[in-house]
Structure formats: C-alpha cells, structure tokens
Amino acid sequence: MAESPADDLHARLDAVYRAEAGRVLATLIRLLGDFTLAEDALHDAFNAALERWPREGVPANPRAWLISAGRFKAIDALRRRARFDAAHADIVDTLQGAAAAVVDDELPDDRLRLIFTCCHPALPPDARAALTLREVCGLTTEEIARGFLTSAPTIAQRIVRAKARIRDERIPYQVPTGAELPERIGAVLAVIYLLYNEGYSASSGPALTRVELSSEAIRLGRVMLELIPEPEVLGLVALMLLHESRREARVSAAGELVLLEQQDRSIWNPTFIREGVALVERALASRRFGPYTLQAAIAAVHAEAPTPEATDWPQICALYAALLALQPSPVIELNRAVAVAMHQGPAAGLALIDELVRRGELRDYPLVSAARADLCRRLGRREEARAAYAEALARARTEPERRYLQKRRREME
Amino acid sequence: MKFICLGYIDAAAFAALPDAERHAMMDSCFAYDDYLRANGHFKGGEALQPPETAMSLRYANGRVVVTDGPFAETKEQLGGIMILEARDLNHAVDLISKHPGAKAGPWEIRPAADLGEMVRESEARRRARRPA
C-alpha cells in the first residue's frame, strides 16, 4: 500500500518527536528558565511544525527549527499573559533581548542538565523518579501513575511540589562539576536503577514485570552513556541490558515465574547480551568501576553460561565477595549465600542465610524465606522447607510469585 | 485528555468587593479564558447563576424529591464549570493554577470519564431485551 505524502510527513514528525522532544524541551527550559513555560512551548512548536512543514518542507535542522519556534511561541504566550499579569512584561523583554543569538547548529545537549536537575538531592527520592519520567522521558502523569500503581493525583502532587522546590530553592539548571560530580552522577544512576528495578520486578500487582518502566530506564541509561561514559554508567547500562536479555524467558506463556535454572536459554536476547558483555568489559578495564559494574559482571557470567550446570559459580562467588567489600549490604549477602550454595552445596549456603537471620537482618524481605525454603528442600529437610515456603508466601508481593511458592509448598506435602 | 474544572466562589465576598477590584478580577479572568481559547485548551464551559436559583433532585422512597438550592451548604459554591483540554493532570493543574479565578475560590479538577464502552454494552443489552 502506497503511503500518501501526508502519512509520510506524519510518520516523519512522529520520528522527530521521539528523537528530539527530550533535547528540545531541555534546551527550552534553559532558554526560558521555567519548566511549565518550556513544556507549553515544546507542544506549541510541534503544533507549528504540523501546520508548516507540509507547506514548507521539513527543515534541514529540525531540532534548531523546533527550539526557535518554541522560543517564539513562548514569547507570544508571555505577551498575551502580560496583558493580565504585569509581572510577565519584564520576562518578555529579557527573553527577546537574549533570543536571537542562541540558536545555531552547535546547540549544546541540555538533556544532562535536565536529568541532573530532576535527580537533584534536594528533591525527595520518589519525586525524583516521577519528575524524571515526566520531564526527561515525556511520560504523562497518568502513565507514571500506572507504572507505579498509584493514583494520578498522588503523582501530580509529587511533580507539583518538586517543581515548586526547584523554583523556591533556586536549584541550578546545570551539570555539576568538580568534587560534586561523582556524588551527583550517583544520584542520577540511583534513579535509573530504581526505575529499572520497578520495571524488572514489580513491587506489587498482578504482573511480574512492567516493561514500560524498564525500557525508559534503559533509554535514560543510554543518554547518560552517550554524554558521560564513566565506568559506573557503562556498568549500569550493561546490568540493565543483561537482565533485560532474559525478560522473555523469565515468565512462562501462562504468566508464571520461571527461575534462572529452568529458563529456556535459547530465547535470551543475544543482541542485549553481546552489548552488555562488551560494556562490562570496558567498565572492568577502566579499573575505576563500582557496584553497578560488579553486578553487571555477575549477570554477564550467567548470560554466558550455555546451561545452568556450566555456570562459573566460583567466579560468581568471587564477584559477590568483591561487591560485598565495596558495598556491604544484607541483600548482597543473601545473593552471595545462594551463589555459595550452588558452588559448595546447599548446606554452606544455608549456614550463611541462618547467620543473616540470627543477626536480625532482612526480617521482612520476602526472598530470605524463599531462598531458605529452596535450600532446605535441596537438603531434603521437608518440614523446614514447608514452613519457610509458608513464610515466603505470606510476604510475596506479586501474584505469579505467590503461585510459584504455593506450587513448591505443595510439593513438600 | 479532557478535564472538567469546577470553580468555586464565595459569592457574598465577591459581591462585597469594591467595583474597581471586582472589575479587575473579572477582566483578568476573561482575558485568561481568551488565552485558553486561543491555545485550544478551552473546550467549553459556563458560569453559573447564584445558588439560590438552583434546584436539587433526589430520588427517595420511590419518588423524586425536589428541593431548593444546591446540595452543598458551604460558604463556597460552584461558580462555573470549564471543560479543559490538557496533556495530562499536571498540565491541567498548571493551566488552572494560572487562572485568576483561582484567587477568588478553590477549583476542583476532574478527568472526564470515557463511558463509550459502557454505553456500547448498555446498547447491546437493550437491543437484546427488545422483542424480535
């Protein structure tokens, strides 16, 4: 079927929107100094394109055209508003003064400023994620609310408050430099990691994963990678890609949880694995890597094992030990215990978990009982396994997890 | 997305304003409505006559009971409604928070519900019930 020129232009405009909206918005926020004004200007600019490009053709540099159109639309809007609010008159003057010189082919990429501002440590952590999804990824309030299984007004409040905070505390719209940079990169990576995690393993609800959040996290990670190719950025993108490679295999056609051991490795995504492994190797070679890179390295060992039996468990145990030294955490200890169980047998792993429990760690973490139950089952300690499955069941957060645990518990009857 | 925006007002306080202030207020509200219209956000709306012109209907004990006035007995009364076109809830909040009317009383912003599916189902049920 031949596409009409109008369809073609629509498709082209859609592609430009997907590719450029983030950068255009980020630059408009810098030029206009106001999130809301810039969001309106962005949409006005795309409406203008919809109207003018069919007549005038697609400009040679669509991004520069859109930024320029957005800025003029914002000045128009402010002028109209100045009629009933005198405070806007001054802004119009300032904007017009500064305007003409700004747009050229050498536009800086302002997305980094936007990411760093949305993930500023002065904002509450849950607001950082919501603001980043809306301003950097272009999701609507309603889409974000669905992603986090909460109501739109709750998310709207977070965003309103976060924007007010940026304004009131005069959070600068810039990429931090010097001593501040590593810590601030950490804050951005933490938001991306949180988004990915929420999509990889939903914290509640009917489904096991929420693909939209994961793909947005990967998209953001790639933007960071393009602009700040620091080892931990490489590591985090690698980590996400390697986990993402197993998405299809992790859930059966019936929506049931499939554990690593039982997964059909032939449907793991080889493109993601290749890219992930290459990124981990680059990050490790830098010798300035951190926890994300080590976690990615562990995921890479799994990804490269053709069968569960062929997994290099000693290597995984060593990586967990390095990770634990870098970032002591009971959750990492638990994961290490499972790896040790695979390497040295279930009894050795169980001893490590029981030690964790004795210290009173992870009391409400649902995976402790699940891991304990599994090791008891392998040791043939059916009574204990049954009790641990019951405990895990009481704490399970998603329906497929619950069904999996119920099935295992029945096997122990 | 369509949002129904309910603007509340304390009519007595508004009436008590000096003329100049009341005029300035109204002028700025209408100017902002024009701005919303010009940008495709204003999809309709009406101001309401004062609450004493209202009637309320309620179904009770198998019949409709009609009473004077609106339901709510608060100081602030519904002053007008607007159908607003916005990209999402935060965009609607942004647009309404700039409305000068927000200085006179609170607004309630409610997303419009799409009953299309429900209407289609209901039509199917009614068709099925109809004798052939």
Side-chain angles (χ1 to χ4, degrees):
Chain A
M1 203 173 69
E3 274 182 36
S4 75
D7 284 346
D8 199 42
L9 190 87
H10 251 271
R12 180 80 203 277
L13 201 61
D14 272 351
V16 170
Y17 189 88
R18 272 195 306 278
E20 303 290 357
R23 280 187 72 166
V24 173
L25 177 68
T27 298
L28 286 172
I29 294 174
R30 174 168 59 79
L31 294 177
L32 301 172
D34 182 280
F35 272 74
T36 307
L37 193 58
E39 284 163 28
D40 288 343
L42 171 77
H43 289 272
D44 288 345
F46 273 95
N47 283 336
L50 198 58
E51 196 185 300
R52 286 175 49 188
W53 292 5
R55 292 202 310 268
E56 299 168 15
V58 178
N61 185 341
R63 188 191 308 148
W65 190 98
L66 288 163
I67 290 167
S68 170
R71 203 190 56 245
F72 283 118
K73 291 282 180 188
I75 293 172
D76 279 353
L78 283 173
R79 247 195 228 121
R80 275 199 296 271
R81 261 186 242 164
R83 269 186 234 141
F84 52 88
D85 187 348
H88 285 101
D90 295 346
I91 310 175
V92 174
D93 290 345
T94 327
L95 268 179
Q96 271 180 317
V102 196
V103 175
D104 56 31
D105 289 348
E106 291 292 302
L107 282 173
D109 194 326
D110 288 306
R111 281 175 300 173
L112 263 192
R113 290 172 198 263
L114 184 53
I115 297 175
F116 277 103
T117 303
C118 290
C119 300
H120 197 280
L123 303 174
D126 54 359
R128 289 178 216 168
L131 197 61
T132 303
L133 281 173
R134 188 161 184 278
E135 306 304 323
V136 187
C137 305
L139 266 56
T140 65
T141 312
E142 288 75 13
E143 286 167 336
I144 300 165
R146 275 198 294 278
F148 284 114
L149 296 177
T150 178
S151 74
T154 304
I155 296 292
Q157 279 277 23
R158 276 181 207 165
I159 290 170
V160 166
R161 288 190 188 135
K163 283 183 175 173
R165 197 130 182 195
I166 290 173
R167 205 173 40 240
D168 298 345
E169 299 198 5
R170 298 172 190 279
I171 291 178
Y173 190 59
Q174 63 190 34
V175 177
T177 51
E180 206 194 341
L181 185 63
E183 191 200 328
R184 295 285 305 279
I185 291 180
V188 172
L189 296 184
V191 166
I192 298 178
Y193 187 60
L194 169 84
L195 291 179
Y196 185 79
N197 250 331
E198 196 51 38
Y200 177 79
S201 156
S203 56
S204 57
L208 207 52
T209 65
R210 272 182 255 138
V211 68
E212 15 10 297
L213 289 182
S214 302
S215 37
E216 286 306 326
I218 291 177
R219 201 158 76 96
L220 270 179
R222 287 190 192 279
V223 172
M224 282 290 281
L225 190 60
E226 194 186 307
L227 302 167
I228 308 188
E230 280 289 303
E232 276 294 85
V233 181
L234 298 172
L236 178 57
V237 175
L239 177 63
M240 294 191 290
L241 288 171
L242 289 164
H243 281 314
E244 199 63 11
S245 74
R246 297 196 305 268
R247 176 177 294 281
E248 294 294 306
R250 288 176 61 220
V251 184
S252 75
E256 301 301 325
L257 182 70
V258 184
L259 295 194
L260 191 58
E261 245 182 298
Q262 279 92 37
Q263 284 173 17
D264 175 359
R265 297 184 179 222
S266 70
I267 58 170
W268 287 359
N269 184 321
T271 318
F272 284 177
I273 292 177
R274 262 197 308 278
E275 191 186 349
V277 168
L279 286 170
V280 177
E281 283 169 356
R282 263 173 69 196
L284 288 170
S286 76
R287 305 200 164 275
R288 291 185 296 122
F289 53 81
Y292 293 123
T293 302
L294 284 170
Q295 289 177 70
I298 294 166
V301 176
H302 284 300
E304 289 185 312
T307 63
E309 299 71 35
T311 308
D312 187 350
W313 289 108
Q315 169 83 344
I316 289 179
C317 289
L319 286 167
Y320 269 121
L323 184 57
L324 211 47
L326 213 57
Q327 191 183 50
S329 132
V331 174
I332 296 171
E333 278 187 67
L334 175 66
N335 282 294
R336 179 169 156 260
V338 175
V340 167
M342 295 307 291
H343 177 32
Q344 298 169 9
L350 194 59
L352 289 172
I353 293 180
D354 286 341
E355 170 59 28
L356 258 178
V357 174
R358 248 195 312 281
R359 283 194 343 242
E361 303 269 22
L362 298 178
R363 211 163 276 152
D364 294 317
Y365 193 64
L367 297 182
V368 175
S369 320
R372 248 198 120 252
D374 194 54
L375 295 182
C376 289
R377 175 182 63 84
R378 289 189 199 191
L379 289 166
R381 287 152 63 169
R382 299 172 70 92
E383 193 64 41
E384 257 182 280
R386 197 158 53 225
Y389 278 125
E391 210 173 302
L393 206 47
R395 299 208 170 101
R397 293 170 301 184
T398 65
E399 277 311 314
E401 273 174 7
R402 228 163 265 140
R403 287 197 296 269
Y404 170 83
L405 291 166
Q406 269 160 353
K407 183 170 146 243
R408 283 293 177 143
R409 188 179 56 174
R410 274 196 304 275
E411 286 167 7
M412 292 297 102
E413 298 294 326
Chain B
M1 281 181 78
K2 272 198 185 58
F3 292 87
I4 315 299
C5 303
L6 311 173
Y8 288 80
I9 192 166
D10 177 349
F14 188 65
L17 284 179
D19 280 356
E21 266 180 59
R22 201 172 55 248
H23 289 160
M25 174 77 186
M26 278 156 61
D27 292 351
S28 61
C29 281
F30 294 149
Y32 190 72
D33 286 347
D34 286 343
Y35 164 81
L36 290 175
R37 262 185 215 100
N39 288 281
H41 297 310
F42 190 100
K43 291 289 170 186
E46 295 291 344
L48 302 180
Q49 292 199 21
E52 54 272 20
T53 63
M55 297 295 289
S56 298
L57 269 64
R58 208 191 284 271
Y59 199 74
N61 300 324
R63 51 189 284 253
V64 173
V65 180
V66 180
T67 50
D68 287 354
F71 290 124
E73 211 39 83
T74 59
K75 205 167 68 169
E76 274 141 353
Q77 294 289 351
L78 193 57
I81 64 161
M82 189 198 296
I83 301 174
L84 186 79
E85 180 67 36
R87 290 186 299 279
D88 63 5
L89 185 54
N90 275 104
H91 186 213
V93 169
D94 288 339
L95 288 170
I96 293 300
S97 52
K98 285 190 215 108
H99 200 295
K103 291 174 197 151
W107 283 82
E108 188 173 322
I109 301 174
R110 310 275 299 264
D114 177 6
L115 296 188
E117 187 54 31
M118 218 187 260
V119 170
R120 274 186 293 280
E121 282 172 15
S122 164
E123 280 168 354
R125 274 195 303 273
R126 282 175 284 162
R127 262 198 310 277
R129 235 178 281 141
R130 211 175 293 147

